[in-house]
Amino acid sequence: MTVQKRILTRTVVLATGAALAVSLAGCAPGGNTGAAGGAGAGAGDSSSTAAAANPWFDQAQFDTEDTQRTASFEGDPSQPYLQYLKGDMVDASAYTLDRAGKVCFSNAALSNTWRQTGWITMNQQLQVLKDQGVISQLETRNAQDSDDTQVADIDYFISEGDCDGYIIAPNSPQATASAVQRACDTGKPVVIFDRGAGTDCETSFVHSVGGMAWGMDSAGFIAGKVGDGAHVVALRTAPGVDVFEQRWAAAQHVFDDAGIQVTDYITGADPSKIKSTITDEISKGKVDAVWVDLGDQAVPAIEAFEDAGVDIPIVTGEDNLAYLRAWKDTGIDGFASVYSAYQWRTALIAMGDLFQGTDIPKDWVLPQIPVTGDELDEVLKTNDGMPDGQYASFGGEDLPGFPQVWQDRVMP
Amino acid sequence: MTATITTGPGNNNGNGNNNGTNATPARGDAVPRYTGKRSPLAQRFRRGIVTPGGAVFVLLALLLAALFALNPQLAGEGQFTRFIGRTAPIAIVALGQYFVILSGELDLSMGAVISAQVVLAGNLIGQDAGMILPVLALMILVALVVGLVNGLIVTFLRVPSFIATLGTALVISGLTFYSTGGAPSGNPTDAFRAIGRSGIDDIPVLGFLPFSVIVLAVLIVLAVLLVRSPFGRMLAAAGDNSRATALTGASVAFLRIRAFAISAIASTVAAVLLIGYAGVSPVVGQGYEFTAITAVVLGGVALSGGRGWVLSAVAGAFVLEVLFSLLDFAGVASTWRPAVQGAIILVALGVPLIRWARLRTIVPRRAPQGGAAHHTETGSVAGRRKG
């Protein structure tokens, strides 16, 4: 029996130890209950600890995107996929063809709804350019989120030797840089879009303003609505992924500046985790707003408030229809950041322009206009009948097949 | 309730499956002689609580006490039942995994089955409430097929279950990805989601009773009955010593195939609850197989099979969810969480197991006749076969 008693004691000690570990970890460096400004930093202190410690925060990039997101763009606002910021242009004369050109497209992945939406739009744009006799064929290889596969894909295109131009949507900037360089060395035009290529040899880089602007927009909306000392819950999809880290770094910075307390969670975008987390946060105390780094995270967060039977505070999201509809149905104070999905279309147009001898911007920055409460009804009307995975910035309203193709959502 | 399960680890000879056989009488005080009579409740409780399968309840009680201390609101009306409700899916998955582990195998395909079933329900039911029953029937059929395939590969092709179920998991994920392009079309009708999201209001004392709690309770009762049934006994025997079990004339293959089928059905029930609780997302269910294995092992169930308590496996699942919530309330920084969570689980797993192992090795040394006297009948039969 003494052995058993000893074990019982051990078990108790162990469990107490575990509980102790939990409370100790709360005091660990980076413990975020004290949140944004830390103990000493007051409102408006822009150099507060949390954001400064985030290695993903890049002040220069933050400032650039902050300027660009409100800048005035060249071109017709009703065709945002053709708009650009004034800057260096690419002389197209070296790339002009007297026939329809074959384009080779190395795509990082089709593994999320944003990429799928863009891909559908790109294919409808392809039909137009084919009918116009600008592009003869789009040969596509999908790297399925793998750097290695993408490098192999690009090299395959190069060795095939019959591409008149390359479009590359890099999986990760650094890993694909050398392969992109090899594509540039062929002398054919190379158009990069979405993420950067980690090299500047490309003919043109098509992208909307950027991830930091995405984070600034929605965090800025929250900061404008809640007061100093408010408590915001931030739901982050994954650590170490540049897309999400940039959005978070910028948002964190905005919250710090506004003296807002932030508690952040890494959820893996798993709705059951999000729901449990938000439920716990509701029990813990007041939640003035929920900020998310991905549209998919917003709906479970909204539902958690509904299920708990409490008023739903501000929950920001993205321009995916699932969120926009939940926003409309619940009548919350919503805000949708946008990373323009129509850039998929622009990349193809850029290549067509080069074949036709039309100069294009070297750094083709597209507008990135968030959806606010004022536009919500109109956006929902345009996207009526579209599946939840559709993005409002799909940019295909004037393309053949609208709206049927996006409603059916069959991957080309 | 807990102490009434005789397959519990309360017996110091460590074999839950010899109740129906006449174990060779052991000489020596440390090993209780099998008499066919149950020892007094208090004694069984004392013995049970110090085994890993019993200690998990102590751990759970302490963690719950900590959670209540940090979150007094949990005592509010309907709050605790909601908490049980959100734990239901993982507890059910742990129940399913328990049967497979008891039979001496592992099922790594559970997460993939959950994801596939979630996407299936989301896409096929849509907004049409009339589709609920047909699609539920289809989901059960899919589960049975998955269980059968897992079981056949493991038993007849003799592929280790670790690899076999990893393979089927990949196939299932691949098929799900292929048929949806990686993104389901959206949430099914609210009538279907109600199973995992709603409950019965205005219940005296409890306040609110989520349907998922009822589902969990029913499944726990079923599981306990199943463990105590001849099937459950034979399954444990197969996990303990498959060769000896085969020699008794039982079909070990059929036993294991049924265990895999139970596991796939459990995943499917969890999927139905998760669609309601969380909504349709291809991410739902990811990693559940490992969480379930952790829960089962935390519950003191031997990974090698043949030994363990079904209720401890459920308690293990609750420990994990309480821990998750506790970290929310303790305000552990998001970047620290995985490390803290992992460390606590490792400590919780490791220490009782070390003690338990030591206890088990001490016992035979004290017996005057050495190891041979302590073989169960099935064990010594197997020994003769080998010799």
Side-chain angles (χ1 to χ4, degrees):
Chain A
M1 284 314 127
T2 49
V3 179
Q4 294 180 355
K5 238 180 211 165
R6 219 165 61 213
I7 291 173
L8 183 59
T9 326
R10 297 264 166 155
T11 314
V12 174
V13 169
L14 151 77
T16 324
L20 198 68
V22 176
S23 44
L24 272 180
C27 314
N32 58 352
T33 38
D45 181 357
S46 61
S47 59
S48 63
T49 50
N54 188 338
W56 291 88
F57 185 76
D58 176 348
Q59 186 68 50
Q61 185 69 22
F62 183 92
D63 294 339
T64 306
E65 294 190 19
D66 194 16
T67 318
Q68 289 182 347
R69 75 194 169 106
T70 49
S72 67
F73 285 76
E74 306 292 315
D76 180 1
S78 71
Q79 293 180 313
Y81 52 89
L82 292 179
Q83 287 192 285
Y84 60 95
L85 284 176
K86 225 180 207 141
D88 293 347
M89 300 295 278
V90 178
D91 179 9
S93 57
Y95 308 114
T96 311
L97 296 177
D98 51 6
R99 56 179 168 84
K102 177 188 172 182
V103 181
C104 298
F105 174 31
S106 167
N107 185 14
L110 281 179
S111 57
N112 62 53
T113 47
W114 181 84
R115 303 193 77 90
Q116 292 170 355
T117 305
W119 174 232
I120 294 174
T121 304
M122 189 181 195
N123 275 276
Q124 296 310 111
Q125 178 66 54
L126 174 66
Q127 279 190 14
V128 175
L129 290 170
K130 270 184 176 170
D131 292 347
Q132 291 171 349
V134 177
I135 290 176
S136 61
Q137 190 197 343
L138 180 72
E139 186 178 343
T140 306
R141 294 183 80 85
N142 178 357
Q144 302 192 336
D145 296 300
S146 159
D147 287 337
D148 296 338
T149 309
Q150 181 153 45
V151 169
D153 286 347
I154 295 170
D155 285 335
Y156 168 85
F157 282 142
I158 295 170
S159 67
E160 213 182 19
D162 65 347
C163 304
D164 293 310
Y166 302 91
I167 294 179
I168 298 168
N171 187 51
S172 70
Q174 289 73 27
T176 43
S178 61
V180 172
Q181 184 64 50
R182 288 195 287 278
C184 293
D185 292 345
T186 62
K188 302 284 184 346
V190 176
V191 172
I192 307 289
F193 79 97
D194 182 20
R195 303 167 198 163
T199 159
D200 52 6
C201 74
E202 75 268 8
T203 315
S204 175
F205 176 26
V206 174
H207 60 104
S208 77
V209 178
M212 287 201 138
W214 195 105
M216 268 179 251
D217 279 338
S218 47
F221 172 79
I222 291 175
K225 292 269 181 176
V226 302
D228 183 8
H231 178 224
V232 172
V233 175
L235 299 177
R236 300 165 56 195
T237 300
V241 179
D242 54 353
V243 182
F244 301 125
E245 288 287 5
Q246 282 172 6
R247 292 174 180 185
W248 165 235
Q252 198 181 22
H253 191 79
V254 171
F255 290 138
D256 277 6
D257 274 358
I260 290 170
Q261 270 209 344
V262 190
T263 313
D264 69 299
Y265 290 97
I266 292 165
T267 66
D270 180 338
S272 61
K273 261 192 193 162
I274 294 168
K275 233 170 159 177
S276 300
T277 299
I278 296 289
T279 307
D280 285 346
E281 275 295 328
I282 294 170
S283 299
K284 252 168 95 173
K286 193 160 164 40
V287 179
D288 296 299
V290 176
W291 179 87
V292 302
D293 69 358
L294 177 73
D296 292 349
Q297 302 212 66
V299 178
I302 292 173
E303 283 187 4
F305 289 100
E306 280 184 322
D307 290 358
V310 298
D311 289 341
I312 310 170
I314 299 169
V315 179
T316 62
E318 204 171 354
D319 59 327
N320 55 322
L321 266 280
Y323 169 69
L324 297 179
R325 285 179 180 139
W327 173 4
K328 175 75 185 168
D329 292 345
T330 53
I332 55 164
D333 210 355
F335 182 94
S337 283
V338 165
Y339 190 58
S340 309
Y342 48 70
Q343 60 186 282
W344 288 71
R345 169 181 192 185
T346 309
L348 206 56
I349 293 173
M351 190 59 79
D353 281 353
L354 291 175
F355 290 165
Q356 295 286 89
T358 312
D359 293 352
I360 59 169
K362 168 86 180 154
D363 183 21
W364 192 330
V365 183
L366 292 158
Q368 184 174 304
I369 301 158
V371 180
T372 63
D374 296 336
E375 293 108 44
L376 181 61
D377 285 335
E378 196 193 320
V379 166
L380 283 175
K381 213 176 118 194
T382 310
N383 291 281
D384 192 37
M386 305 279 187
D388 278 351
Q390 163 81 352
Y391 278 71
S393 62
F394 72 108
E397 292 91 333
D398 57 357
L399 283 173
F402 175 82
Q404 196 62 42
V405 174
W406 287 267
Q407 285 173 352
D408 294 347
R409 208 176 171 83
V410 177
M411 286 308 123
Chain B
M1 163 126 195
T2 55
T4 60
I5 311 299
T6 47
T7 32
N11 301 330
N12 270 350
N13 59 21
N15 251 315
N17 58 317
N18 62 354
N19 289 327
T21 63
N22 281 318
T24 313
R27 290 170 290 274
D29 299 335
V31 180
R33 191 180 293 250
Y34 184 75
T35 59
K37 271 198 295 186
R38 283 187 180 186
S39 37
L41 185 73
Q43 192 189 344
R44 276 186 287 139
F45 182 78
R46 271 204 315 276
R47 283 180 180 166
I49 205 78
V50 293
T51 63
V56 72
F57 287 96
V58 178
L59 182 64
L60 178 59
L62 287 170
L63 287 176
L64 266 180
L67 186 61
F68 271 103
L70 283 171
N71 176 22
Q73 283 202 31
L74 197 58
E77 194 163 90
Q79 291 302 311
F80 193 59
T81 48
R82 278 181 198 279
F83 186 83
I84 298 176
R86 89 185 205 197
T87 316
I90 187 62
I92 290 169
V93 176
L95 271 182
Q97 186 71 258
Y98 166 82
F99 282 95
V100 178
I101 290 183
L102 188 69
S103 80
E105 305 289 347
L106 279 174
D107 188 353
L108 297 187
S109 68
M110 298 187 88
V113 172
I114 296 174
S115 303
Q117 300 280 35
V118 162
V119 170
L120 197 69
N123 283 7
L124 293 186
I125 293 177
Q127 294 308 310
D128 183 2
M131 288 294 284
I132 293 179
L133 287 180
V135 172
L136 271 180
L138 177 70
M139 289 167 77
I140 290 171
L141 190 70
V142 169
L144 289 175
V145 170
V146 171
L148 184 70
V149 170
N150 274 337
L152 287 177
I153 296 176
V154 170
T155 54
F156 287 102
L157 300 184
R158 296 184 183 274
V159 180
S161 56
F162 190 86
I163 294 301
T165 54
L166 203 60
T168 46
L170 278 174
V171 171
I172 296 165
S173 311
L175 286 177
T176 315
F177 185 82
Y178 172 77
S179 60
T180 61
S185 60
N187 281 336
T189 172
D190 285 345
F192 184 63
R193 289 196 66 195
I195 307 170
R197 206 184 164 191
S198 307
I200 307 167
D201 265 322
D202 300 324
I203 297 217
V205 188
L206 295 177
F208 175 79
L209 186 63
F211 293 132
S212 49
V213 175
I214 302 173
V215 173
L216 175 63
V218 169
L219 289 185
I220 288 177
V221 171
L222 281 180
V224 168
L225 291 178
L226 209 51
V227 169
R228 296 171 60 111
S229 72
F231 162 72
R233 307 275 198 230
M234 290 311 289
L235 196 66
D240 189 47
N241 190 333
S242 61
R243 203 157 179 192
T245 310
L247 285 174
T248 66
S251 164
V252 173
F254 187 47
L255 284 166
R256 286 189 171 149
I257 289 172
R258 279 182 285 173
F260 278 109
I262 291 171
S263 161
I265 297 264
S267 308
T268 304
V269 176
V272 171
L273 296 183
L274 281 169
I275 294 165
Y277 180 66
V280 172
S281 156
V283 187
V284 168
Q286 255 176 31
Y288 266 58
E289 64 278 15
F290 289 111
T291 315
I293 292 172
T294 312
V296 170
V297 175
L298 209 51
V301 179
L303 257 188
S304 51
R307 181 160 50 81
W309 214 354
V310 62
L311 288 176
S312 301
V314 177
F318 273 88
V319 164
L320 291 179
E321 185 64 27
V322 173
L323 192 58
F324 176 91
S325 192
L326 209 53
L327 293 185
D328 280 354
F329 283 96
V332 177
S334 54
T335 39
W336 272 80
R337 274 187 77 128
V340 173
Q341 213 163 341
I344 293 174
I345 289 171
L346 277 182
V347 172
L349 279 177
V351 176
L353 282 182
I354 293 167
R355 302 303 309 166
W356 181 239
R358 214 176 269 174
L359 180 68
R360 279 167 58 78
T361 50
I362 288 167
V363 173
R365 263 190 232 123
R366 281 192 192 159
Q369 293 296 315
H374 302 287
H375 277 178
T376 61
E377 186 158 311
T378 48
S380 45
V381 168
R384 276 204 295 276
R385 287 276 301 178
K386 272 177 207 153

